[in-house]
mmCIF file of all heavy atoms in Angstrom:
data_model
loop_
_atom_site.group_PDB
_atom_site.id
_atom_site.type_symbol
_atom_site.label_atom_id
_atom_site.label_comp_id
_atom_site.label_asym_id
_atom_site.label_seq_id
_atom_site.Cartn_x
_atom_site.Cartn_y
_atom_site.Cartn_z
ATOM 1 N N VAL A 28 -1.477 11.727 5.790
ATOM 2 C CA VAL A 28 -0.535 11.068 4.901
ATOM 3 C C VAL A 28 -1.311 10.497 3.713
ATOM 4 O O VAL A 28 -1.836 9.377 3.768
ATOM 5 C CB VAL A 28 0.255 9.973 5.643
ATOM 6 C CG1 VAL A 28 1.263 9.297 4.731
ATOM 7 C CG2 VAL A 28 0.972 10.576 6.847
ATOM 8 N N VAL A 41 -0.134 -0.847 -0.786
ATOM 9 C CA VAL A 41 -0.967 -0.259 0.258
ATOM 10 C C VAL A 41 -0.551 -0.848 1.641
ATOM 11 O O VAL A 41 -0.602 -2.038 1.849
ATOM 12 C CB VAL A 41 -2.458 -0.546 -0.004
ATOM 13 C CG1 VAL A 41 -3.319 0.040 1.127
ATOM 14 C CG2 VAL A 41 -2.908 0.043 -1.332
ATOM 15 N N GLY A 42 -0.160 0.045 2.538
ATOM 16 C CA GLY A 42 0.185 -0.319 3.903
ATOM 17 C C GLY A 42 -1.027 -0.104 4.826
ATOM 18 O O GLY A 42 -2.125 0.107 4.345
ATOM 19 N N GLU A 43 -0.768 -0.170 6.142
ATOM 20 C CA GLU A 43 -1.931 -0.070 7.047
ATOM 21 C C GLU A 43 -2.183 1.380 7.487
ATOM 22 O O GLU A 43 -3.307 1.836 7.448
ATOM 23 C CB GLU A 43 -1.783 -1.022 8.231
ATOM 24 C CG GLU A 43 -0.509 -0.827 9.029
ATOM 25 C CD GLU A 43 -0.400 -1.926 10.081
ATOM 26 O OE1 GLU A 43 -0.198 -3.085 9.710
ATOM 27 O OE2 GLU A 43 -0.487 -1.589 11.284
ATOM 28 N N GLY A 44 -1.149 2.064 7.901
ATOM 29 C CA GLY A 44 -1.372 3.433 8.364
ATOM 30 C C GLY A 44 -0.030 4.052 8.743
ATOM 31 O O GLY A 44 0.942 3.361 8.975
ATOM 32 N N PRO A 45 0.026 5.392 8.767
ATOM 33 C CA PRO A 45 1.275 6.094 9.060
ATOM 34 C C PRO A 45 1.813 5.811 10.452
ATOM 35 O O PRO A 45 1.023 5.632 11.406
ATOM 36 C CB PRO A 45 0.913 7.555 8.935
ATOM 37 C CG PRO A 45 -0.495 7.635 8.401
ATOM 38 C CD PRO A 45 -1.109 6.298 8.567
ATOM 39 N N GLY A 46 3.117 5.797 10.585
ATOM 40 C CA GLY A 46 3.791 5.765 11.882
ATOM 41 C C GLY A 46 4.242 7.172 12.246
ATOM 42 O O GLY A 46 3.839 8.151 11.607
ATOM 43 N N ALA A 47 5.108 7.270 13.244
ATOM 44 C CA ALA A 47 5.528 8.576 13.757
ATOM 45 C C ALA A 47 6.265 9.397 12.668
ATOM 46 O O ALA A 47 5.992 10.614 12.501
ATOM 47 C CB ALA A 47 6.440 8.419 14.973
ATOM 48 N N ASN A 48 7.177 8.782 11.943
ATOM 49 C CA ASN A 48 7.943 9.526 10.939
ATOM 50 C C ASN A 48 7.061 10.016 9.806
ATOM 51 O O ASN A 48 7.193 11.129 9.296
ATOM 52 C CB ASN A 48 9.048 8.645 10.340
ATOM 53 C CG ASN A 48 10.102 8.277 11.344
ATOM 54 O OD1 ASN A 48 10.841 9.126 11.803
ATOM 55 N ND2 ASN A 48 10.125 7.024 11.732
ATOM 56 N N GLU A 49 6.110 9.144 9.403
ATOM 57 C CA GLU A 49 5.194 9.484 8.317
ATOM 58 C C GLU A 49 4.282 10.645 8.755
ATOM 59 O O GLU A 49 3.993 11.559 7.985
ATOM 60 C CB GLU A 49 4.342 8.261 7.955
ATOM 61 C CG GLU A 49 5.137 7.123 7.251
ATOM 62 C CD GLU A 49 6.008 6.299 8.200
ATOM 63 O OE1 GLU A 49 5.761 6.320 9.411
ATOM 64 O OE2 GLU A 49 6.914 5.634 7.688
ATOM 65 N N ASP A 50 3.843 10.582 10.011
ATOM 66 C CA ASP A 50 2.965 11.645 10.579
ATOM 67 C C ASP A 50 3.734 12.968 10.589
ATOM 68 O O ASP A 50 3.169 14.021 10.263
ATOM 69 C CB ASP A 50 2.571 11.229 12.019
ATOM 70 C CG ASP A 50 1.610 12.186 12.676
ATOM 71 O OD1 ASP A 50 0.685 12.647 11.974
ATOM 72 O OD2 ASP A 50 1.787 12.491 13.858
ATOM 73 N N ILE A 54 4.345 11.837 4.520
ATOM 74 C CA ILE A 54 4.666 10.942 3.377
ATOM 75 C C ILE A 54 4.701 9.499 3.868
ATOM 76 O O ILE A 54 5.259 9.226 4.938
ATOM 77 C CB ILE A 54 6.075 11.296 2.794
ATOM 78 C CG1 ILE A 54 6.112 12.760 2.375
ATOM 79 C CG2 ILE A 54 6.456 10.391 1.621
ATOM 80 C CD1 ILE A 54 7.529 13.261 2.043
ATOM 81 N N PRO A 55 4.100 8.555 3.102
ATOM 82 C CA PRO A 55 4.064 7.176 3.576
ATOM 83 C C PRO A 55 5.451 6.502 3.529
ATOM 84 O O PRO A 55 6.249 6.817 2.651
ATOM 85 C CB PRO A 55 3.120 6.434 2.613
ATOM 86 C CG PRO A 55 2.635 7.424 1.644
ATOM 87 C CD PRO A 55 3.336 8.715 1.859
ATOM 88 N N PHE A 56 5.657 5.598 4.439
ATOM 89 C CA PHE A 56 6.868 4.753 4.444
ATOM 90 C C PHE A 56 8.163 5.545 4.314
ATOM 91 O O PHE A 56 8.923 5.375 3.360
ATOM 92 C CB PHE A 56 6.756 3.687 3.341
ATOM 93 C CG PHE A 56 5.803 2.559 3.702
ATOM 94 C CD1 PHE A 56 4.506 2.544 3.208
ATOM 95 C CD2 PHE A 56 6.167 1.551 4.574
ATOM 96 C CE1 PHE A 56 3.603 1.551 3.570
ATOM 97 C CE2 PHE A 56 5.285 0.526 4.923
ATOM 98 C CZ PHE A 56 3.999 0.513 4.428
ATOM 99 N N VAL A 57 8.417 6.415 5.281
ATOM 100 C CA VAL A 57 9.668 7.171 5.276
ATOM 101 C C VAL A 57 10.566 6.770 6.452
ATOM 102 O O VAL A 57 11.716 7.218 6.521
ATOM 103 C CB VAL A 57 9.459 8.730 5.305
ATOM 104 C CG1 VAL A 57 8.987 9.225 3.956
ATOM 105 C CG2 VAL A 57 8.518 9.113 6.405
ATOM 106 N N GLY A 58 10.062 5.956 7.378
ATOM 107 C CA GLY A 58 10.894 5.541 8.514
ATOM 108 C C GLY A 58 11.687 4.309 8.139
ATOM 109 O O GLY A 58 11.948 4.025 6.960
ATOM 110 N N ALA A 60 10.903 1.140 8.291
ATOM 111 C CA ALA A 60 10.139 0.205 7.445
ATOM 112 C C ALA A 60 10.112 0.680 5.985
ATOM 113 O O ALA A 60 10.170 -0.133 5.057
ATOM 114 C CB ALA A 60 8.708 0.058 7.982
ATOM 115 N N GLY A 61 10.072 2.014 5.834
ATOM 116 C CA GLY A 61 10.052 2.571 4.482
ATOM 117 C C GLY A 61 11.365 2.325 3.752
ATOM 118 O O GLY A 61 11.382 2.023 2.564
ATOM 119 N N LEU A 64 11.316 -1.096 2.702
ATOM 120 C CA LEU A 64 10.422 -1.257 1.551
ATOM 121 C C LEU A 64 11.165 -0.849 0.266
ATOM 122 O O LEU A 64 11.070 -1.517 -0.753
ATOM 123 C CB LEU A 64 9.155 -0.424 1.722
ATOM 124 C CG LEU A 64 8.165 -0.409 0.553
ATOM 125 C CD1 LEU A 64 7.669 -1.829 0.241
ATOM 126 C CD2 LEU A 64 7.015 0.534 0.817
ATOM 127 N N ILE A 80 2.177 4.620 -3.597
ATOM 128 C CA ILE A 80 2.115 4.038 -2.245
ATOM 129 C C ILE A 80 1.113 4.796 -1.403
ATOM 130 O O ILE A 80 1.166 6.044 -1.320
ATOM 131 C CB ILE A 80 3.492 4.089 -1.567
ATOM 132 C CG1 ILE A 80 4.588 3.433 -2.423
ATOM 133 C CG2 ILE A 80 3.450 3.429 -0.190
ATOM 134 C CD1 ILE A 80 6.000 3.534 -1.868
ATOM 135 N N ALA A 81 0.180 4.067 -0.777
ATOM 136 C CA ALA A 81 -0.811 4.684 0.095
ATOM 137 C C ALA A 81 -1.036 3.745 1.274
ATOM 138 O O ALA A 81 -0.439 2.702 1.380
ATOM 139 C CB ALA A 81 -2.105 4.995 -0.667
ATOM 140 N N ASN A 82 -1.945 4.162 2.164
ATOM 141 C CA ASN A 82 -2.305 3.393 3.319
ATOM 142 C C ASN A 82 -3.789 3.232 3.460
ATOM 143 O O ASN A 82 -4.553 4.029 2.929
ATOM 144 C CB ASN A 82 -1.753 4.082 4.595
ATOM 145 C CG ASN A 82 -0.283 3.852 4.825
ATOM 146 O OD1 ASN A 82 0.167 2.729 4.881
ATOM 147 N ND2 ASN A 82 0.472 4.943 4.926
ATOM 148 N N ILE A 83 -4.211 2.250 4.260
ATOM 149 C CA ILE A 83 -5.645 2.062 4.531
ATOM 150 C C ILE A 83 -6.173 3.254 5.287
ATOM 151 O O ILE A 83 -7.211 3.806 4.974
ATOM 152 C CB ILE A 83 -5.895 0.742 5.344
ATOM 153 C CG1 ILE A 83 -5.441 -0.482 4.566
ATOM 154 C CG2 ILE A 83 -7.359 0.657 5.798
ATOM 155 C CD1 ILE A 83 -6.326 -0.900 3.412
ATOM 156 N N VAL A 84 -5.485 3.691 6.370
ATOM 157 C CA VAL A 84 -5.874 4.925 7.031
ATOM 158 C C VAL A 84 -4.769 6.010 6.827
ATOM 159 O O VAL A 84 -3.603 5.694 6.775
ATOM 160 C CB VAL A 84 -6.147 4.755 8.572
ATOM 161 C CG1 VAL A 84 -7.305 3.802 8.786
ATOM 162 C CG2 VAL A 84 -4.923 4.308 9.344
ATOM 163 N N LEU A 121 0.574 -4.491 1.823
ATOM 164 C CA LEU A 121 1.750 -4.666 2.691
ATOM 165 C C LEU A 121 1.225 -5.043 4.085
ATOM 166 O O LEU A 121 0.789 -4.176 4.834
ATOM 167 C CB LEU A 121 2.578 -3.380 2.694
ATOM 168 C CG LEU A 121 3.127 -2.975 1.331
ATOM 169 C CD1 LEU A 121 3.729 -1.573 1.364
ATOM 170 C CD2 LEU A 121 4.165 -3.989 0.847
ATOM 171 N N GLY A 122 1.222 -6.320 4.357
ATOM 172 C CA GLY A 122 0.806 -6.797 5.670
ATOM 173 C C GLY A 122 -0.653 -7.237 5.731
ATOM 174 O O GLY A 122 -1.449 -7.018 4.805
ATOM 175 N N ALA A 125 -3.946 -4.544 5.553
ATOM 176 C CA ALA A 125 -4.342 -4.141 4.195
ATOM 177 C C ALA A 125 -4.960 -5.336 3.446
ATOM 178 O O ALA A 125 -5.954 -5.184 2.743
ATOM 179 C CB ALA A 125 -3.144 -3.555 3.451
ATOM 180 N N HIS A 156 4.477 -7.324 5.901
ATOM 181 C CA HIS A 156 4.739 -5.903 6.110
ATOM 182 C C HIS A 156 6.264 -5.711 6.348
ATOM 183 O O HIS A 156 6.865 -6.532 7.044
ATOM 184 C CB HIS A 156 3.969 -5.412 7.333
ATOM 185 C CG HIS A 156 3.901 -3.934 7.416
ATOM 186 N ND1 HIS A 156 4.960 -3.177 7.877
ATOM 187 C CD2 HIS A 156 2.892 -3.046 7.122
ATOM 188 C CE1 HIS A 156 4.626 -1.914 7.852
ATOM 189 N NE2 HIS A 156 3.402 -1.810 7.395
ATOM 190 N N PRO A 157 6.831 -4.655 5.771
ATOM 191 C CA PRO A 157 8.275 -4.427 5.988
ATOM 192 C C PRO A 157 8.673 -4.418 7.484
ATOM 193 O O PRO A 157 9.747 -4.885 7.827
ATOM 194 C CB PRO A 157 8.541 -3.076 5.366
ATOM 195 C CG PRO A 157 7.444 -2.881 4.374
ATOM 196 C CD PRO A 157 6.259 -3.670 4.844
ATOM 197 N N SER A 158 7.784 -3.911 8.360
ATOM 198 C CA SER A 158 8.115 -3.899 9.796
ATOM 199 C C SER A 158 8.214 -5.322 10.314
ATOM 200 O O SER A 158 9.071 -5.635 11.173
ATOM 201 C CB SER A 158 7.033 -3.200 10.620
ATOM 202 O OG SER A 158 6.847 -1.926 10.149
HETATM 203 N N1 LIG B 201 3.680 1.381 8.033
HETATM 204 C C1 LIG B 201 2.627 1.469 7.208
HETATM 205 O O1 LIG B 201 1.773 0.570 7.133
HETATM 206 N N2 LIG B 201 2.493 2.588 6.507
HETATM 207 C C2 LIG B 201 3.360 3.579 6.522
HETATM 208 O O2 LIG B 201 3.163 4.593 5.815
HETATM 209 C C3 LIG B 201 4.468 3.453 7.379
HETATM 210 C C4 LIG B 201 4.621 2.349 8.122
#
Side-chain angles (χ1 to χ4, degrees):
V28 180
V41 180
E43 56 186 68
N48 295 292
E49 291 76 19
D50 184 42
I54 303 169
F56 284 100
V57 287
L64 176 61
I80 305 176
N82 281 304
I83 298 286
V84 298
L121 298 170
H156 194 283
S158 305

